[in-house]
Amino acid sequence: MKFLMYILGIIFSIIVIMSMFFPFIDTYAKMEKLPDPYYFLVLGMDTTDVNEKVSRTDSILLVGVSEKKEKILVLPIPRDLLVTIDNSTIRINAVYVKYGIKKLQEIIQKMFSVKISDYLIFDYGLFKEIGNIYAPVKIYVPKDMYYEDYHQNLHINFKQGYNYLNGEELLYYARFRHDALGDLGRIKRQKDVLFALMNAARSSGLSKILYSINKVLDRTVNSFDFEKLFSLFIVSKKSNINFLSLPIEVVGDYVKLDNSQIKYMNKYLTYFEKPSDNKKVWITLINNMKNFNLSFYTVMRNKWKNSNGYLIEIVDKLPDINGIQHNKSYLIIKNKKYEERILKEIKNRYGNIAFEIIDAKQKPDLYFSIIKFLSDNFYNTLNSDIIILVGKNS
C-alpha cells in the first residue's frame, strides 16, 4: 500500500510540474523559425502614447539577427540623416509620419541592401511598464541629474554612477531634457534605457519574458506575433550584441552618408563579420570634460571634418575611472600598426596639445578599466583601433 501511495505521489508530482510548464512547452513547440539573416526596424516616438500624433521619429534602429553566427547587430540611424524621396530631400526622422512605415522600410532596405521583415514602433511610456517588470534596472548615469516640476509632480534626482531604477524612474531618465546637450543627450539616454532593458530581459526568468512579450505586443504598433517575438528572445539569449556606428559626414545641422564607406557597412550587415578589406582607422572619441556646455557630438564631428580614412565613433559619457583625471586628454593605441599614422593626424588636428598615452602592457589596470567603461555602456570595443579621451586642453 505504501509503495502504491509512493507511485501515485510521483505521478501526481509529475502532472503538477507538467501543468506548470505546459505553457512554456507549448510556446516552444509553436515557436516560429526566423530567417537567417533576419532584419527589423525599431522606431521610438517622442510621446507616452504610441497612437498620439507626432511630427518626427525620435530614434531609428536597424537590427540584424543571425542565429548561425550567434550575433545581433544594432545600427542606430541618425535622425538628421538626409534622404531623397520624389526629388525632395528631407530628414529621415520625418519619413514615417509623412509617408508611412513601408516607405521608411524601402529607403533603409535600399540604403543597406538588406530585406527588412518586421517593425516595432514604441512610445516612451513603454519604458515605465517594461521597467517595472524587470526593476530594479541598472543604468549608468554619467552626471548628476536634478530637476523638480511640482506642477507635473516630477522629481528627478539621480547621482553620477550606477543607479538601480524602477519603471517610472526609467521613464524620467529617458525623457530628461534639462542638460547642456538638449535633444542629443535625451536621445542617447533613451538608447541607454532600451539597451539596459534588453540586458535585463536576457538574464531574467521565462515567466517575466512571456509577460513582457505580451505587454510589448499590446503597447506598440508592430508587425510581430507572439511566436516570432519569443523566437527572437531565444536567439538573443545566446547571441552577442554588437552596436555599429554609421559612417556619416556632418554638414551644417544635418548629416549625410559617407558613401565611400557604405559598402563596408553593407558587408558587415550582410555577413555579420567585420570586413577584412576595410582600410579605415576606427577612432573612438570619449568626452572627458566636466561642465562642458556645448554638444560634444557636434564639436567632435566638426573637429574631425574631412576625416577621409577614418571611422569616427563618439561617446558622450564622462568616465569615472581611478587614475583618469577629468579634463585631461589620453590616447590608447589598440592597433599598433596605425601608431605613426594616428600620431601625425592628432598633431595636425590638435597641434602641440599633450596627450598621455596609456599602454596596455605598462598600465593594464587603467587600460582595462577604460575598456570596461565602454563595454558597460554598450560600445563594441573590438571595433576601435584608437581610443581618445578628450579633455579641455584639446
Side-chain angles (χ1 to χ4, degrees):
M1 185 67 177
K2 287 184 178 180
F3 180 74
L4 178 61
M5 293 298 293
Y6 177 71
I7 296 297
L8 289 174
I10 293 176
I11 294 173
F12 178 75
S13 298
I14 292 174
I15 292 172
V16 171
I17 293 172
M18 290 296 292
S19 67
M20 291 172 60
F21 285 94
F22 178 78
F24 304 151
I25 296 170
D26 186 54
T27 300
Y28 273 111
K30 294 179 179 177
M31 195 168 66
E32 183 175 342
K33 184 73 173 176
L34 297 175
D36 198 332
Y38 168 69
Y39 304 91
F40 65 95
L41 285 180
V42 178
L43 308 183
M45 310 302 288
D46 185 18
T47 173
T48 54
D49 181 355
V50 75
N51 295 305
E52 181 181 316
K53 184 69 175 177
V54 294
S55 59
R56 295 289 187 272
T57 306
D58 206 37
S59 57
I60 304 172
L61 303 176
L62 173 62
V63 184
V65 181
S66 175
E67 185 173 8
K68 293 176 184 176
K69 297 288 183 70
E70 295 187 346
K71 286 184 180 180
I72 295 177
L73 303 180
V74 181
L75 178 64
I77 299 174
R79 62 181 191 166
D80 291 328
L81 180 68
L82 292 183
V83 294
T84 301
I85 301 177
D86 300 331
N87 297 320
S88 297
T89 301
I90 64 171
R91 287 173 168 81
I92 198 168
N93 66 337
V95 174
Y96 167 66
V97 172
K98 191 171 182 179
Y99 295 96
I101 187 63
K102 294 299 181 185
K103 177 60 72 174
L104 182 59
Q105 280 185 238
E106 289 173 10
I107 290 172
I108 296 176
Q109 283 183 155
K110 185 176 181 181
M111 193 180 295
F112 299 108
S113 302
V114 299
K115 180 184 178 183
I116 298 172
S117 300
D118 291 294
Y119 59 86
L120 188 149
I121 305 164
F122 71 96
D123 62 74
Y124 295 110
L126 185 65
F127 286 157
K128 178 178 178 180
E129 298 191 33
I130 302 298
N132 281 333
I133 297 174
Y134 298 107
V137 177
K138 184 179 178 181
I139 286 283
Y140 180 81
V141 178
K143 301 177 183 178
D144 288 351
M145 297 169 58
Y146 179 81
Y147 179 69
E148 295 275 2
D149 188 334
Y150 292 97
H151 180 69
Q152 299 185 53
N153 194 29
L154 177 60
H155 310 283
I156 294 174
N157 188 11
F158 303 135
K159 299 299 182 183
Q160 181 184 21
Y162 286 106
N163 287 247
Y164 295 85
L165 309 182
N166 61 30
E168 187 169 32
E169 290 168 333
L170 279 174
L171 178 59
Y172 290 164
Y173 178 79
R175 293 177 63 81
F176 183 80
R177 298 171 181 264
H178 304 275
D179 67 355
L181 296 176
D183 279 347
L184 189 64
R186 181 171 53 90
I187 292 167
K188 183 66 176 68
R189 285 187 290 275
Q190 291 164 358
K191 174 185 168 185
D192 291 344
V193 170
L194 186 63
F195 296 151
L197 288 173
M198 186 188 306
N199 197 43
R202 294 177 72 187
S203 58
S204 184
L206 191 55
S207 60
K208 285 187 177 181
I209 298 303
L210 299 180
Y211 180 69
S212 60
I213 288 175
N214 278 317
K215 181 67 70 174
V216 168
L217 289 172
D218 291 341
R219 286 283 282 104
T220 62
V221 176
N222 66 80
S223 61
F224 288 90
D225 56 26
F226 185 94
E227 287 75 20
K228 187 177 286 186
L229 273 183
F230 188 78
S231 298
L232 187 58
F233 168 72
I234 295 300
V235 173
S236 72
K237 285 278 284 186
K238 59 182 181 181
S239 297
N240 292 317
I241 301 177
N242 296 328
F243 304 103
L244 310 183
S245 294
L246 186 64
I248 56 174
E249 298 175 3
V250 178
V251 182
D253 60 349
Y254 59 85
V255 298
K256 64 179 183 178
L257 283 177
D258 180 353
N259 290 321
S260 67
Q261 282 297 299
I262 197 63
K263 288 184 179 179
Y264 164 80
M265 186 58 65
N266 291 354
K267 286 183 180 179
Y268 206 150
L269 287 166
T270 300
Y271 300 107
F272 288 76
E273 298 289 346
K274 187 176 181 180
S276 58
D277 60 349
N278 175 48
K279 295 181 180 178
K280 284 202 171 188
V281 180
W282 195 298
I283 298 177
T284 298
L285 300 162
I286 304 175
N287 181 11
N288 192 37
M289 292 178 281
K290 276 194 170 183
N291 304 318
F292 187 64
N293 295 321
L294 301 174
S295 167
F296 182 74
Y297 181 92
T298 302
V299 171
M300 287 302 102
R301 280 294 173 192
N302 288 333
K303 189 75 172 179
W304 286 83
K305 271 184 179 178
N306 305 317
S307 54
N308 292 329
Y310 298 96
L311 288 170
I312 306 299
E313 179 179 45
I314 298 174
V315 181
D316 189 20
K317 283 181 175 293
L318 186 69
D320 190 9
I321 298 170
N322 289 335
I324 293 295
Q325 297 179 34
H326 292 318
N327 299 324
K328 187 175 178 180
S329 298
Y330 299 84
L331 178 65
I332 296 175
I333 303 174
K334 288 182 63 186
N335 195 332
K336 291 296 184 180
K337 72 178 182 179
Y338 297 127
E339 182 170 4
E340 184 178 351
R341 175 179 171 183
I342 195 62
L343 289 176
K344 286 182 179 179
E345 188 67 38
I346 286 178
K347 186 173 182 179
N348 289 336
R349 293 182 184 271
Y350 293 96
N352 293 321
I353 297 298
F355 283 78
E356 181 178 327
I357 297 179
I358 299 174
D359 187 278
K361 293 180 179 179
Q362 295 178 1
K363 298 182 178 179
D365 292 343
L366 192 55
Y367 173 84
F368 286 109
S369 292
I370 295 170
I371 298 299
K372 184 178 184 300
F373 164 79
L374 289 169
S375 298
D376 287 345
N377 288 283
F378 307 104
Y379 289 94
N380 181 10
T381 57
L382 296 176
N383 285 339
S384 300
D385 296 306
I386 312 295
I387 299 174
I388 302 176
L389 277 72
V390 180
K392 278 192 174 180
N393 62 344
S394 55

